[in-house]
Amino acid sequence: IVDVANTARETDVMHKLVEKAEEFEAARLKLLDICKDLDKDNSGNLTLEELINGYESNAEFAATMATMDVEPSDMSVVFQILDDDRSGAVSYTEFIHQLHKMKTQDSHTMLVMMKGLLNDVRWKLVEELVVVRDG
């Protein structure tokens, strides 16, 4: 009886994992379509301006961001986190990957936001030090 219960539990866990993977893939494909809609210049990348405009004009995107407690005023911080190389654009796949990471790691979300803010402070400090040194 115990073996049957363990087997049933293991089967249920496996079923839930498969179901969760299928749900993630469906959400990823849906978000990929949303990214394509937000990408007004069809570059394959998203800019901060496209994300902010998307938040205002795309209800599905706004709802996705709202479920992660990301408000329009937070978009610049989120973008800075995603745009590590400071190129001004982030690929769809990286955007989707990082959003998934932020959403599934709730306790991690605050740390990620803080990291973004600290990176911004660091870059501003470096810029100011260059001005002071060269000025």
Side-chain angles (χ1 to χ4, degrees), residues 31 34 38 51-72 75 95 99:
L31 194 52
I34 292 171
L38 299 181
L51 291 173
I52 291 171
N53 290 340
Y55 205 113
E56 296 169 356
S57 65
N58 188 306
E60 282 184 297
F61 181 69
T64 300
M65 298 283 83
T67 61
M68 295 186 303
D69 294 324
V70 176
E71 298 179 13
M75 289 307 297
F95 182 72
L99 279 182

Side-chain angles (χ1 to χ4, degrees), residues 55 65 68-82 84 95 98-99 101-103 105-122:
Y55 205 113
M65 298 283 83
M68 295 186 303
D69 294 324
V70 176
E71 298 179 13
S73 60
D74 299 326
M75 289 307 297
S76 62
V77 173
V78 170
F79 187 79
Q80 288 173 8
I81 292 166
L82 300 178
D84 278 339
F95 182 72
Q98 291 296 337
L99 279 182
K101 191 174 177 180
M102 287 172 67
K103 185 171 183 171
Q105 298 175 359
D106 290 335
S107 62
H108 186 67
T109 301
M110 184 59 76
L111 292 174
V112 170
M113 296 290 276
M114 289 172 58
K115 177 186 173 193
L117 289 170
L118 286 173
N119 278 337
D120 187 45
V121 168
R122 180 177 58 95

